[in-house]
């Protein structure tokens, strides 16, 4: 017997809240005709970019991750002349506890396992370094080509102040650095979702975490009900010693006749689980039903 309240709640809020499609709109305030035409073209461009990247589906997945994990994240980056958006697993992101104490870390790290062939296409000049990189996958994972995957660490460090020049973007493996460049933006290239914020730290509080206590109590109650059904699911027959009743006469035949002499057998069906609450009143006396009937 199982009642997964957390799964039902996550599916419900995702279907109800995350169904809204995000949209970016460019508006002009007192602009001329040329500026209005440019804004309309930018609106069409953003609709096409959202459609090609499946941003609506990605935001639904990110919202569901925020309800299950401590944060949901959608990563945005530029690949050639294209804007690319992809889902980022919350288990891939890391921050320093002291740096993120007030919720605004200056450094963010992403650890992702990438196939060496795909990584070689992304960085054609670093093929030798990629091939010598060791696989960081757990050896207990049953994968034939586990050695072909390598842990890639991508890190962002925000600049200090508006005029700071210490911002950095680095991509590396354990055998060397693939990318080391300046990072001039004052934000990370992610869209973050949190079901609820915490008083301390960067990570949020998920819906699943808030419902953990309720789920544990429901599991305890269902376990008791299951044991009660297992112990008291079969009826009992009380047969007095000395009564002349044959066991063969106690069967499931329709209209069977049981002959006895002396004390007759007593059939007892135990109540496995106590109702625990009052029964709902009949529909004729229930106020909402009576009010609807009177209105008719």
């Amino acid at each position: 017997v199982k009642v997964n309240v957390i799964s039902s709640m996550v599916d419900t809020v995702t279907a109800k809240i995350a169904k809204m499609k995000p949209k970016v709109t460019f508006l002009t305030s007192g602009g001329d005709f040329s500026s209005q035409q440019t804004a309309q073209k930018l609106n069409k461009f953003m609709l096409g970019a959202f459609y090609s990247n499946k941003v609506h589906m990605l935001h639904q997945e990110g919202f569901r991750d925020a309800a299950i994990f401590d944060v949901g994240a959608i990563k945005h980056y530029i690949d050639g002349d294209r804007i690319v958006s992809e889902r980022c697993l919350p288990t891939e992101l890391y921050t320093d506890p002291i740096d993120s104490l007030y919720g605004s870390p200056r450094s963010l790290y992403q650890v992702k396992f990438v196939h060496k062939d795909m990584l070689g296409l992304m960085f054609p000049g670093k093929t030798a370094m990629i091939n010598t990189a060791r696989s960081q996958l757990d050896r207990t994972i049953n994968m034939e080509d586990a050695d072909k995957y390598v842990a890639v660490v991508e890190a962002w460090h925000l600049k200090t102040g508006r005029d700071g020049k210490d911002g950095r973007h680095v991509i590396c493996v354990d055998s060397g650095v693939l990318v080391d460049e300046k990072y001039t933006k004052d934000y990370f290239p992610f869209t973050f979702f949190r079901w609820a914020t915490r008083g301390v730290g960067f990570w949020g509080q998920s819906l699943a975490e808030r419902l953990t206590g309720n789920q544990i109590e429901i599991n305890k109650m269902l376990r008791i009900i299951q044991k009660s059904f297992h112990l008291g699911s079969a009826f009992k027959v009380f047969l007095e010693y000395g009564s002349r009743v044959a066991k063969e006469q106690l069967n499931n035949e329709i209209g069977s006749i049981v002959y006895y002499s002396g004390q007759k057998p007593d059939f007892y069906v135990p109540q496995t689980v106590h109702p625990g609450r009052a029964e709902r009143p009949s529909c004729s006396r229930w106020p909402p039903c009576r009010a609807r009937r009177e209105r008719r």
Side-chain angles (χ1 to χ4, degrees):
V1 182
K2 294 182 180 180
V3 177
N4 196 337
V5 176
I6 294 178
S7 177
S8 301
M9 290 295 296
V10 170
D11 293 340
T12 301
V13 298
T14 302
K16 293 290 185 180
I17 301 177
K19 65 180 180 180
M20 304 301 295
K21 294 185 178 181
K23 180 182 179 181
V24 177
T25 304
F26 294 88
L27 300 176
T28 58
S29 178
D32 53 7
F33 179 76
S34 178
S35 300
Q36 295 178 6
Q37 291 291 326
T38 302
Q40 292 179 4
K41 292 180 181 179
L42 288 174
N43 291 334
K44 293 181 180 179
F45 170 77
M46 292 306 301
L47 288 176
F50 276 32
Y51 179 78
S52 61
N53 289 325
K54 300 179 181 180
V55 174
H56 179 219
M57 183 186 67
L58 292 176
H59 278 236
Q60 285 183 327
E61 294 177 353
F63 183 88
R64 187 177 65 247
D65 290 341
I68 300 174
F69 303 98
D70 44 15
V71 70
I74 305 297
K75 183 180 178 181
H76 312 280
Y77 61 93
I78 297 177
D79 184 11
D81 57 349
R82 294 176 59 250
I83 301 176
V84 181
S85 301
E86 66 180 15
R87 176 195 176 198
C88 178
L89 293 177
T91 55
E92 298 177 352
L93 299 177
Y94 297 90
T95 59
D96 185 84
I98 303 301
D99 186 28
S100 60
L101 186 63
Y102 296 97
S104 300
R106 296 181 60 244
S107 299
L108 181 66
Y109 308 89
Q110 180 186 8
V111 181
K112 186 176 182 178
F113 292 96
V114 185
H115 199 279
K116 291 184 178 180
D117 295 342
M118 183 180 297
L119 200 60
L121 294 176
M122 298 172 60
F123 305 98
K126 306 288 185 177
T127 306
M129 183 186 302
I130 295 172
N131 292 331
T132 57
R134 295 176 299 175
S135 176
Q136 302 295 330
L137 279 174
D138 190 356
R139 295 300 177 181
T140 58
I141 299 178
N142 187 14
M143 292 180 58
E144 297 180 357
D145 54 351
D147 295 335
K148 296 182 181 180
Y149 284 85
V150 59
V152 181
V153 180
E154 187 171 5
W156 297 266
H157 180 72
L158 303 182
K159 61 182 180 180
T160 304
R162 181 179 299 179
D163 300 329
K165 299 181 180 180
D166 58 340
R168 214 71 188 169
H169 175 223
V170 178
I171 302 177
C172 62
V173 292
D174 66 340
S175 58
V177 179
L178 301 176
V179 173
D180 187 2
E181 59 186 6
K182 292 183 179 180
Y183 190 72
T184 59
K185 299 180 177 61
D186 57 353
Y187 56 87
F188 299 114
F190 290 89
T191 300
F192 294 108
F193 300 88
R194 296 177 180 85
W195 177 259
T197 57
R198 295 182 182 272
V200 179
F202 172 76
W203 312 105
Q205 187 180 31
S206 65
L207 176 63
E209 182 180 351
R210 288 193 167 189
L211 293 175
T212 299
N214 302 68
Q215 186 67 65
I216 292 175
E217 293 301 322
I218 291 175
N219 292 344
K220 290 181 180 179
M221 181 181 63
L222 293 178
R223 192 178 298 112
I224 294 174
I225 294 175
Q226 187 173 10
K227 288 184 178 180
S228 301
F229 275 111
H230 178 71
L231 294 175
S233 58
F235 66 92
K236 305 294 188 298
V237 179
F238 292 89
L239 194 61
E240 184 180 6
Y241 286 108
S243 61
R244 299 177 182 179
V245 177
K247 293 182 179 180
E248 293 75 17
Q249 297 180 4
L250 303 176
N251 49 50
N252 60 349
E253 294 182 0
I254 300 176
S256 61
I257 300 175
V258 179
Y259 295 96
Y260 74 96
S261 177
Q263 184 68 27
K264 68 177 181 179
D266 185 14
F267 288 80
Y268 174 70
V269 180
Q271 187 176 8
T272 56
V273 180
H274 193 273
R277 62 178 182 177
E279 295 183 358
R280 174 179 166 179
S282 62
C283 188
S284 60
R285 292 178 296 169
W286 200 40
C289 295
R290 186 173 64 251
R292 287 197 299 267
R293 188 172 59 254
E294 292 175 356
R295 287 197 300 268
R296 292 176 184 175

